[in-house]
Amino acid sequence: MIWSLIVGALIGAMAGGITGKDKSMGCLANIVAGLIGSSVGQSLFGYWGPSLVGMALIPSIAGAVIVIAVVSFFLGKK
């Protein structure tokens, strides 16, 4: 369980860096974005590429980028 949180935080941090939202996201937001993005990415893109703790990294990062972009769109400043 702890490894899942750590890998989720790393996935969320990478996705935050890709989207440019890494400065505004905290550690908890990285974990949430990584874990939700992992399930979204694997649902959309399948389970391929290298994996850690049962999370395929490439689809997970792509899913986390999608999650961050959608959340930023709806909760962003107007």
Side-chain angles (χ1 to χ4, degrees):
M1 176 104 174
I2 292 175
W3 285 113
S4 295
L5 296 175
I6 292 170
V7 172
L10 292 174
I11 290 170
M14 284 190 262
I18 291 170
T19 59
K21 303 290 183 188
D22 55 341
K23 302 288 188 238
S24 62
M25 291 175 51
C27 186
L28 184 62
N30 282 337
I31 292 171
V32 170
L35 293 176
I36 293 173
S38 178
S39 85
V40 168
Q42 290 179 32
S43 296
L44 291 176
F45 305 118
Y47 188 86
W48 54 275
S51 65
L52 286 173
V53 193
M55 294 182 221
L57 295 180
I58 297 170
S60 296
I61 293 170
V65 167
I66 293 169
V67 167
I68 291 171
V70 168
V71 169
S72 295
F73 177 77
F74 286 112
L75 297 180
K77 293 183 178 179
K78 297 177 182 176

